[in-house]
Amino acid sequence: MFSIREVKKNARVDLKRNFFRNVLIVFMVGLITQGGYRFATDTRTALQQRASEIVTSTAPDQLRNLPGNLKAAGVDLSGNLSDSLGAIASKKTNFEILEDLVLSQDLFPVHLNPETTTEKYTRGVLSVFVNEATSSGSMTFGILNGINEIVFHGHVTRSVIIFLMAVLTAFVFIFVKNVLQVGLKRYFLEHRRYLDTSADRIFHVYRVGKTLNVAKIMLLRYIRALLWMLTIVMGPVKYYEYRMIPYILAENPGISEADAFALSRQLTDGEKWRMFCLDWSLLGWRLLGLVTFNLTSVFYLRPYLETIHAELYMQLKEAKRAELVNGKQIDDAELNLPSPVASSYPEEQYLTSPLAERQWLMIREAEQRYSPTTYILFFFTFSFVGWVWEVSLHLAENGEFVNRGVLLGPWLPIYGFGGVLILLLLRPLRNRPWLLFLGSVAVCGTIEYFTAVFLEIVYHQEWWNYDGYFLNFQGRICLEGLLVFGLGGVAFTYVFAPILNNIYAWLSAGARRGICICLILLFVIDAVHSAFHPNVGEGITTVTETEANESI
C-alpha cells in the first residue's frame, strides 16, 4: 500500500524542478485540447454548471420531470432555471436539443440562464483554464440528431453546421485530446527522473506512430467508464481501476487493449480507497482555486496533480512488479532511476521506437537564430492561426461566420507582430523562462493597448472590448488576457517556433523566398485597401462612445 504523504512529498519535489516549464506544459496541452482560452475558461456559477451537466447527461424524454425531481431532492431551483429545464424538455425541437448537446462540449460551452450570473467576473479567460472534464456522451447524440435533422426536417444549413461541429468535436476528443493527455503523462514520467525533459514529449504518441492504438484504447476507457457510471455503485470503482491506463500507454503506446486494462486493474487492486483519499486530501487546493478565480489551479494545482499521478503510478508499479501478469510490457527501468539526472531520457530505450519521418515533432535548441524568411513565415503563420482562432470562437459562440479583424484577408497581424517581437526582442531571456514570461506580457500588452487606441482614434470603432473582465484597463487590455498571452509567448518560443521551423525546412530556400514575396504583396495590397475601407460591421466592431455621442 502506497503512502499518501510520500507520494505528495515526492510530487512537490518533482514539481519544483523546472516549475515554470511544468506549468507551461500543462497550459499548452490545455490550450490545444480545450480549443482556445475563452471556451476553456468559461466561468458559470456552480448552479448553472450543475444544471448544464444534468441536461446534457439526461435523455430528452426524461428532462420534463427534472425540475420536480430536483426540488424533491432538496435542490433549490430559481424560477428561471426551472422554466429553462422544462422548456428544454417540452418545447425544443430535435435540432435545438442537438445544438445544446454539441454546445455543451468543452469546446462549445452553453449558458442555460446567463441573466443570473454576476456581471463582474463572468467574462473570464483564466479561471478554469485546464478543465479536464469531458462531456457525457453528447457527441454520439449530436451526430445522430444531426443526421435526423438533415434527413427528416429539412433544416439543412444549420443542421450541417451543427453536425460538422459534432464530428469535429468527436475527432478532437478522440485523436487530439485523449492522445495529448497520454503525451502529457509521458512528459511527467520522464521529468520525474530526467531534469532536461523536452516539451516535445507531449507529442510522444504521434512520434512513435501509435496514434490509432492509443486513441482506440482511450476511447474504450471513456466509454466503459461512462457505462459503469450508469450502475452508480460500480462507477467510482471502475474510475479508479482505469486510472493508470493513460500512464501505461505513455510508457508503452503499442500495448494491446486487453493488457492495458488488465495491468491497470492489477496496479490498482487493493489501492482504490487510498487513491480516493489522495484525491480528497487536495480539497483545500481546489477550494483555494474557487476563491482565486482558479489562478492557483493554473499556476499550481494542475501541474501538481500531474506530478502526483506520475509518482503514484511509479510507486504502484514498483510495489507490484513481482505480481504483475505481463508486467514486462511496462518494464522500462530507465524511468525509475535511483535519483534524478541532469540529462534527458535516452530515446533509444523507448519501448516503442520513434519514426524517422516524425522527427519534425522534435524541439531542437530554442536558442537557435532564425533567418529573415523564417521570421516572415512566422509572422504570417501566427497571423493566420490568430484569425482562425478568432473566427472559430465567434462561430461557436454565435453560430455565424464572421471575418474578424481590420483587414479583409485571413490574417490578424496583431498576433503575427506579437509572436515575432517576442522571438526577436526577448531572445536574451530564452534561458530565463520567468523573465521571458514577464517580457511577453509586456510586449503583448503594449501592442494590444496601443493598437486599440490607434484604431479607436482613426476609425472610431472598437474591434475588442474587455469591459466586464477582471482587472481590465479601459476595456483595452485585461490581466487574465495578458497572463494567457505571456504563457503563449513562452509557448511560441520553446515549442511552436522550433516545430514550425522544422516544417519550413522541408521547403527549399528559393521556395521560402517566393512564398514570402507573394504573402508580403498580398498583405500590402490588403493593408492599403483596408486603410480606406476597414473591415467593420456586426460581430466585428462596435462604435466607440465618443462617436456615438457625436452622431446624436
Side-chain angles (χ1 to χ4, degrees), residues 135-148:
S135 67
S136 56
S138 60
M139 291 180 298
T140 302
F141 289 116
I143 293 173
L144 293 177
N145 276 321
I147 296 173
N148 177 32

Side-chain angles (χ1 to χ4, degrees), residues 118-341:
T118 303
E119 174 69 16
K120 187 173 182 181
Y121 304 132
T122 56
R123 297 179 61 212
V125 177
L126 197 59
S127 58
V128 283
F129 185 80
V130 285
N131 186 350
E132 293 180 349
T134 58
S135 67
S136 56
S138 60
M139 291 180 298
T140 302
F141 289 116
I143 293 173
L144 293 177
N145 276 321
I147 296 173
N148 177 32
E149 284 296 324
I150 293 171
V151 175
F152 297 107
H153 295 281
H155 298 154
V156 176
T157 302
R158 292 188 68 196
S159 294
V160 166
I161 292 175
I162 300 301
F163 175 75
L164 291 177
M165 279 186 174
V167 173
L168 177 61
T169 303
F171 179 86
V172 170
F173 177 78
I174 295 170
F175 295 104
V176 179
K177 184 169 186 173
N178 283 346
V179 174
L180 283 180
Q181 283 298 324
V182 173
L184 184 66
K185 311 310 181 192
R186 181 71 206 191
Y187 168 83
F188 280 100
L189 286 178
E190 290 190 23
H191 174 268
R192 180 175 170 271
R193 287 294 181 264
Y194 296 91
L195 306 186
D196 195 30
T197 301
S198 173
D200 61 21
R201 294 307 191 257
I202 64 176
F203 304 118
H204 176 69
V205 175
Y206 301 114
R207 285 189 60 207
V208 299
K210 296 299 181 180
T211 306
L212 291 178
N213 186 62
V214 169
K216 179 190 73 173
I217 295 175
M218 288 292 286
L219 179 61
L220 290 173
R221 171 181 178 260
Y222 174 81
I223 293 174
R224 291 185 186 183
L226 182 64
L227 293 176
W228 278 113
M229 284 296 177
L230 298 178
T231 67
I232 302 177
V233 175
M234 288 301 295
V237 175
K238 292 299 180 178
Y239 169 78
Y240 285 104
E241 180 179 310
Y242 299 157
R243 171 72 72 81
M244 294 297 112
I245 289 177
Y247 292 91
I248 293 169
L249 292 171
E251 186 168 357
N252 185 359
I255 196 170
S256 69
E257 168 201 337
D259 286 339
F261 278 88
L263 286 169
S264 185
R265 182 175 62 253
Q266 294 171 49
L267 288 172
T268 58
D269 186 29
E271 307 287 352
K272 296 180 184 65
W273 173 249
R274 298 289 293 172
M275 294 169 69
F276 173 79
C277 293
L278 174 60
D279 286 345
W280 273 91
S281 70
L282 298 168
L283 178 62
W285 282 107
R286 298 182 189 278
L287 294 176
L288 183 60
L290 294 177
V291 300
T292 61
F293 304 97
N294 273 351
L295 287 174
T296 53
S297 296
V298 173
F299 286 95
Y300 188 80
L301 179 58
R302 294 296 183 180
Y304 183 34
L305 286 171
E306 294 297 339
T307 57
I308 284 177
H309 295 152
E311 180 67 26
L312 173 62
Y313 171 73
M314 294 305 297
Q315 287 199 20
L316 290 178
K317 193 176 73 163
E318 192 64 24
K320 301 198 172 196
R321 182 180 299 276
E323 56 192 82
L324 290 178
V325 179
N326 291 329
K328 290 185 177 180
Q329 298 266 25
I330 50 173
D331 191 22
D332 186 351
E334 298 294 331
L335 286 177
N336 201 26
L337 300 179
S339 59
V341 296

Side-chain angles (χ1 to χ4, degrees), residues 43-63:
T43 54
R44 287 172 289 184
T45 63
L47 180 60
Q48 290 171 314
Q49 186 165 355
R50 180 58 188 147
S52 179
E53 291 172 358
I54 292 172
V55 172
T56 57
S57 61
T58 307
D61 59 353
Q62 296 175 329
L63 289 174

Side-chain angles (χ1 to χ4, degrees), residues 448-473:
E448 186 173 34
Y449 179 81
F450 286 103
T451 300
V453 171
F454 172 80
L455 294 174
E456 291 169 21
I457 292 175
V458 174
Y459 299 110
H460 305 291
Q461 301 271 349
E462 291 179 342
W463 273 263
W464 64 87
N465 189 305
Y466 292 113
D467 286 340
Y469 281 72
F470 178 58
L471 288 182
N472 75 87
F473 180 67

